[in-house]
Amino acid sequence: MSDVLLTGPTWYAANGTAQRGDVLLRQGVVASLGSVDAPKDVERLDADGLVLLPGFVDLHTHLREPGREDTETIASGSRAAAVGGYTAVLAMANTDPVTDTAEAAERVLDLGRAAGLVDVVPVGAVTKGLDGGELAELGLMHRSRAGVTVFSDDGRCVADGRVMRRALEYVRAFDGVVSQHSQDPELADASACCHEGELSGRLGLPGWPPVAEASIIARDAMLAEHTGSRVHVAHVSTAEGLDVVRWAKARGVRMTAEVTPHHLALGTELLTGYDPTFKVNPPLRPDEDRRALVDGLLEGTIDAVATDHAPHARHDKEHAFVDAAFGMLGLETAFSVVHDLLVADGRLGWADLSRVMSVNPARIAGLARHGREVAEGAPASLVLVDPTARVTVDRATSQSLSHNTPWHGHTLSGAVHTTILRGTVTARGGKPTAC
Amino acid sequence: MNRHLLSSSDLTRDDVRMLLATAAEMHEVQRRDVKKLPTLRGRTVINLFFEDSTRTRSSFEIAGKWMSADTINITGKGSSASKGESLRDTVRTIDAMAVDALVIRHMASGAAHQVSQWVDASVVNAGDGTHEHPTQALLDAYTMEQRIGSLDGARVAIVGDLTHSRVFRSNAITLRTLGAQVTLVAPPTLMPSGIGEWARADGLELTDDLDSVLASGPDAVMMLRVQRERMSGGFFPTAREYTIGFGLTRDRLWALTAANPNAVICHPGPMNRGLEISADAADAAQSLVLDQVSAGVAIRMAVLYHLLAGEGAAA
């Protein structure tokens, strides 16, 4: 870790005030900002015209290791994350075997450290084997070197109210949080793959009704209130679900929520051609929902943008639509998508972008060394972005081992320029750095 | 016509008229002693059926054979996903044998659309999940017109399990293309999601009152198959309640006949006699059920002819 002088970037205080100057990174922290008295031989990084932000934190990443290393490894996912401006990612537990023990969580942590490009933070399963029945070893996972704080059966809903209640009660002792995949399996079963509405009716695809999401969020809000625990809503996708989150927050329930870039930016009409690239769970929704989600993000009802990065082999996507795998890539495009959609037109300011992509996710996951305001003494886990650059997404060049991006061929405004983890450059110009 | 027949919405009114006219010529051929035409000699048609089917598969097979095409049936129960091979790999393997047409039946909606993007052959959708069955809609239109004349302005009721019916979806499109007035009759649980917007956009009428529809004297009533396993899915309580509400019982047959003596009855088969249609209605003089099967071969000959042989006299 050598010292680095970033020359000329702009950064923002939490209140939105812009500052411009030089930033010296030393010993992995922000040593000084403004007019910096830097040593002559310091490595300089020209950041003129760039915006300096705290590194992004992804609450929702699928890295597929162990189990499906042909589609993503912790190393390849780390490369994708670094290129996407992330300095920490939470790796979901639905691997094979499932991350439901302390040993499994430590293994994920260690593989992340070996890759060394991003802090890979394991998410622990709520129930053993994600089967929704018995609690996994939540306490042991928390007490392990991995210090697991976020628990999720993501991909599946913790549908049993008694199990969810116990999990919430149990993790309260160490201020853990349960991240819930809100999908009532009776109202939207495993085959549900298209927003329930006119399009699903015409296409003859099994419908996924918004009530299947909203009813679980409502139940979980009541359980979180009852237990006094924290609950996090993964990938909220409907206006109905969002209304329940808004209601719960107004009531003082300790509920947080995330939205994915694809649910903000892509609509259900993309399913018209039955292209499984656009098959994701929860499904893409109509424009009314997208607009509501944008409003929810801007007003703060939604705390975070999370990718739900879900790599899949091409052959797992090339089945008939209902048989194809759910999920799409997200790590490498998330910033550009959010910038293109919300920052470029000024709806989301830079400080607010940091709030939803860095500060809040780090707070929800309990990561004290991430999501910190750019200030003297803060960890130098940062990202430089270029708001004037335009990127054309090419799935063939993804750092991920998989290519299932819904953005192939799209040109987006705003690009990640350089990612820095504790003072070390981890990615520059779309390429990860060897370390 | 497009290179593929994937959805009834691929067909313009002129396309449908042309196909029905060609089918009429082909129907003549069926009445000859020697039914063989040289039209598709040297062409290869694969019937790729991932789902059980008797009448559709045999009718495509006969259609191909009567036009001298080499027709080969490939059947596989269960999705290719369960065998570990992707659908794309399966169909590209077959396509690599230089086939001219791929007639595909699959239990998944959209399968024919997807396959059409992966192969060089012309793709004919012979039924995809709960999505569409365009050749069924063509043969229904053909059969109805043979009996009641032009469908332009005719009133057609489609009754039953609309949610799970590809026959309904294709028929609603083709009947509207031909200018028919379409009324959909079903309990609310068997109406497809979003049917309200859909009906407004496409000019379809909706009701759950079969008796009023029959009393208005429609020109044709199309009864859809209701699968008994839908009861366990909670779509309706009992067979008895379904039949009383939505079955074409003997009393309703009489009511229909009283309101319109020329009305006809269709059913795509296989029928659940006693559930959605009474034996009296199924075997009534107004019933077109066997005419539909007979027309199926002529329609499929017409479709293969226009996809593979192009324009000009067919027979």
Side-chain angles (χ1 to χ4, degrees):
Chain A
M1 169 194 342
S2 56
D3 296 351
V4 182
L5 184 70
L6 312 177
T7 60
T10 302
W11 64 93
Y12 293 82
N15 65 11
T17 314
Q19 295 173 72
R20 188 162 180 275
D22 295 345
V23 178
L24 180 65
L25 312 181
R26 174 174 286 165
Q27 304 289 321
V29 298
V30 177
S32 56
L33 319 84
S35 44
V36 172
D37 190 14
K40 277 208 177 61
D41 59 343
V42 72
E43 181 191 340
R44 286 164 184 269
L45 200 160
D46 180 6
D48 190 35
L50 305 182
V51 177
L52 180 65
L53 305 167
F56 303 137
V57 176
D58 190 13
L59 284 170
H60 197 143
T61 305
H62 296 275
L63 294 181
R64 307 300 185 211
E65 185 177 5
R68 283 303 300 268
E69 289 84 349
D70 61 317
T71 60
E72 197 80 291
T73 61
I74 288 174
S76 68
S78 294
R79 291 195 289 274
V83 163
Y86 287 90
T87 53
V89 297
L90 281 95
M92 278 295 174
N94 64 338
T95 47
D96 181 17
V98 170
T99 309
D100 56 4
T101 63
E103 292 76 11
E106 288 178 352
R107 174 80 177 146
V108 171
L109 179 78
D110 292 342
L111 286 168
R113 284 186 178 156
L117 291 168
V118 58
D119 286 346
V120 176
V121 181
V123 172
V126 176
T127 63
K128 283 178 196 163
L130 308 177
D131 73 358
E134 294 174 54
L135 291 183
E137 293 176 340
L138 308 177
L140 291 181
M141 284 191 274
H142 180 70
R143 276 154 45 188
S144 75
R145 284 189 289 111
V148 177
T149 299
V150 180
F151 298 89
S152 182
D153 278 0
D154 183 65
R156 298 188 192 165
C157 182
V158 182
D160 185 318
R162 184 179 54 90
V163 172
M164 187 64 178
R165 176 194 169 168
R166 295 292 181 226
L168 287 169
E169 283 176 336
Y170 203 88
V171 301
R172 188 185 53 196
F174 47 85
D175 199 29
V177 60
V178 175
S179 173
Q180 173 73 295
H181 174 117
S182 307
Q183 176 179 7
D184 182 325
E186 301 294 334
L187 291 172
D189 67 19
S191 72
C193 58
C194 179
H195 171 76
E196 185 176 295
E198 184 184 355
L199 189 67
S200 70
R202 285 183 186 269
L203 294 178
L205 290 174
W208 203 126
V211 66
E213 175 175 277
S215 60
I216 291 291
I217 298 174
R219 183 205 68 180
D220 287 350
M222 301 309 291
L223 288 174
E225 181 173 63
H226 178 71
T227 57
S229 305
R230 288 201 291 143
V231 67
H232 177 72
V233 181
H235 46 52
V236 63
S237 67
T238 64
E240 291 87 338
L242 180 64
D243 281 343
V244 179
V245 174
R246 192 179 285 117
W247 168 84
K249 286 189 161 193
R251 215 175 143 88
V253 175
R254 300 173 74 198
M255 176 173 267
T256 53
E258 71 187 31
V259 66
T260 68
H262 50 268
H263 286 113
L264 290 170
L266 301 177
T268 188
E269 70 281 355
L270 288 166
L271 271 59
T272 302
Y274 296 97
D275 180 350
T277 304
F278 300 108
K279 180 178 174 181
V280 65
N281 195 20
L284 300 177
R285 301 290 185 183
D287 282 347
E288 307 86 85
D289 291 294
R290 291 165 53 197
R291 282 194 292 271
L293 294 171
V294 166
D295 291 345
L297 184 69
L298 298 181
E299 80 192 14
T301 301
I302 296 174
D303 300 88
V305 172
T307 66
D308 197 3
H309 178 81
H312 286 294
R314 192 173 165 183
H315 56 264
D316 291 327
K317 277 288 195 183
E318 288 177 338
H319 295 296
F321 193 89
V322 293
D323 300 325
F326 284 106
M328 42 181 67
L329 299 184
L331 284 170
E332 294 172 67
T333 50
F335 166 74
S336 295
V337 171
V338 174
H339 181 272
D340 188 81
L341 182 71
L342 297 174
V343 181
D345 68 6
R347 281 188 286 172
L348 189 69
W350 288 105
D352 290 327
L353 178 85
S354 289
R355 174 173 58 78
V356 299
M357 288 193 66
S358 306
V359 178
N360 287 346
R363 176 177 53 77
I364 290 164
L367 303 177
R369 299 172 69 191
H370 290 274
R372 299 267 296 269
E373 196 177 337
V374 179
E376 208 169 292
S381 294
L382 303 163
V383 59
L384 282 163
V385 299
D386 183 348
T388 62
R390 295 178 71 75
V391 289
T392 300
V393 179
D394 178 359
R395 62 187 167 212
T397 63
S398 63
Q399 295 298 322
S400 170
L401 291 182
S402 296
H403 304 288
N404 54 309
T405 174
W407 297 103
H408 178 68
H410 285 252
T411 299
L412 301 165
S413 84
V416 172
H417 187 279
T418 300
T419 311
I420 301 164
L421 178 67
R422 288 185 284 280
T424 300
V425 172
T426 52
R428 188 180 296 187
K431 296 270 181 280
T433 55
C435 61
Chain B
M1 268 180 75
N2 296 332
R3 200 163 69 81
H4 308 293
L5 178 55
L6 307 175
S7 161
S8 294
S9 59
D10 294 343
L11 301 173
T12 64
R13 190 168 184 146
D14 287 346
D15 290 335
V16 176
R17 282 273 150 247
M18 175 183 74
L19 286 166
L20 297 187
T22 304
E25 294 176 49
M26 297 298 184
H27 220 162
E28 283 302 312
V29 174
Q30 285 182 40
R31 298 190 182 104
R32 297 180 190 168
D33 287 341
V34 177
K35 300 182 174 67
K36 205 89 164 175
L37 297 173
T39 323
L40 297 182
R41 195 163 54 203
R43 301 302 191 93
T44 305
V45 178
I46 304 265
N47 294 324
L48 180 58
F49 277 59
F50 290 96
E51 188 184 65
D52 281 340
S53 157
T54 307
R55 68 195 72 201
T56 304
R57 183 170 55 76
S58 54
S59 114
F60 267 109
E61 186 176 0
I62 293 169
K65 286 193 155 71
W66 282 353
M67 290 194 294
S68 306
D70 294 305
T71 63
I72 293 151
N73 295 322
I74 301 176
T75 56
K77 276 194 86 176
S79 65
S80 55
S82 64
K83 295 181 211 148
E85 186 177 54
S86 72
L87 180 61
R88 181 172 179 273
D89 282 346
T90 303
V91 297
R92 282 173 62 85
T93 302
I94 294 164
D95 194 50
M97 297 183 237
V99 305
D100 297 289
L102 205 51
V103 176
I104 181 166
R105 158 72 62 96
H106 201 286
M107 64 292 279
S109 299
H113 277 81
Q114 292 175 268
V115 167
S116 72
Q117 286 157 25
W118 295 327
V119 299
D120 293 327
S122 285
V123 175
V124 179
N125 182 1
D128 62 325
T130 56
H131 178 229
E132 282 208 48
H133 194 355
T135 58
Q136 177 75 39
L138 289 168
L139 75 88
D140 288 340
Y142 178 85
T143 313
M144 285 186 274
E145 289 207 333
Q146 291 279 303
R147 191 73 76 91
I148 63 175
S150 170
L151 283 167
D152 196 358
R155 292 184 300 135
V156 181
I158 306 178
V159 186
D161 183 358
L162 303 170
T163 297
H164 302 95
S165 177
R166 53 193 173 211
V167 174
F168 144 66
R169 283 174 178 75
S170 283
N171 259 295
I173 296 167
T174 295
L175 287 168
R176 291 298 293 149
T177 300
L178 291 173
Q181 297 176 44
V182 178
T183 301
L184 308 178
V185 190
T189 47
L190 292 177
M191 289 276 189
S193 52
I195 189 68
E197 294 93 332
W198 179 357
R200 269 193 297 284
D202 292 9
L204 310 170
E205 287 174 33
L206 303 177
T207 180
D208 62 357
D209 184 353
L210 179 57
D211 290 309
S212 297
V213 171
L214 297 179
S216 73
D219 298 295
V221 178
M222 183 177 296
M223 303 305 296
L224 299 174
R225 176 178 169 79
V226 174
Q227 295 181 336
R228 289 176 187 274
E229 55 265 34
R230 300 297 175 212
M231 279 180 281
S232 58
F235 290 96
F236 56 91
T238 61
R240 188 173 82 113
E241 182 161 333
Y242 183 85
T243 303
I244 290 171
F246 299 93
L248 191 57
T249 58
R250 188 168 66 161
D251 286 350
R252 288 200 173 107
L253 173 66
W254 290 346
L256 174 64
T257 310
N260 181 355
N262 298 318
V264 294
I265 298 163
C266 302
H267 191 298
M271 292 183 284
N272 283 308
R273 287 173 183 257
L275 181 53
E276 75 268 5
I277 190 165
S278 62
D280 300 86
D283 301 328
Q286 298 97 318
S287 169
L288 302 182
V289 173
L290 289 178
D291 305 75
Q292 289 173 274
V293 177
S294 164
V297 176
I299 282 291
R300 279 138 192 160
M301 289 173 83
V303 167
L304 290 174
Y305 170 75
H306 282 288
L307 288 177
L308 297 183
E311 309 306 315

